[in-house]
């Protein structure tokens, strides 16, 4: 699921749009490039998010999966592009 967009379904951030930047067991790590940067992604249960079946662009997704450096401004840009296409 790394590289997919997701919205939060529960918690104080309900309705917020994020990019899934990592996974482990029953949890995902979410970043929005602003409040939740790549250095401090939000750890959230998979039950508390709604995965959107759209991904960031292919190059950014490869870098997320390859654990290469991804910058906050790239995450913000991906979210901005997604919202503009809706």
């Amino acid at each position: 699921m790394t590289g997919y967009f997701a919205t939060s379904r529960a918690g104080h951030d309900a309705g917020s749009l994020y990019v899934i930047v990592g996974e482990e067991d029953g949890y995902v790590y979410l970043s929005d490039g602003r409040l939740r940067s790549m250095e401090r992604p939000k750890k959230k249960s998979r039950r508390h998010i709604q995965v959107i079946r759209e991904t960031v662009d292919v190059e950014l997704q490869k870098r997320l999966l390859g654990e290469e450096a991804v910058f906050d401004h790239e995450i913000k840009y991906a979210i901005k592009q997604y919202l503009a296409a809706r």
Side-chain angles (χ1 to χ4, degrees), residues 13-68:
D13 62 341
S16 298
L17 182 64
Y18 295 102
V19 174
I20 300 173
V21 296
E23 305 175 59
E24 76 176 28
D25 295 332
Y27 296 94
V28 293
Y29 292 94
L30 306 171
S31 176
D32 65 359
R34 289 186 358 235
L35 297 175
R36 288 299 177 169
S37 64
M38 289 299 294
E39 290 84 31
R40 282 190 28 213
K42 181 169 189 66
K43 183 177 181 182
K44 200 153 182 91
S45 172
R46 288 183 188 201
R47 295 178 299 173
H48 295 159
I49 64 166
Q50 176 67 47
V51 177
I52 299 169
R53 294 293 174 192
E54 286 195 41
T55 63
V56 296
D57 78 356
V58 178
E59 288 300 315
L60 184 57
Q61 188 173 22
K62 284 181 187 177
R63 290 178 36 218
L64 284 168
L65 291 170
E67 297 183 11
E68 295 179 34

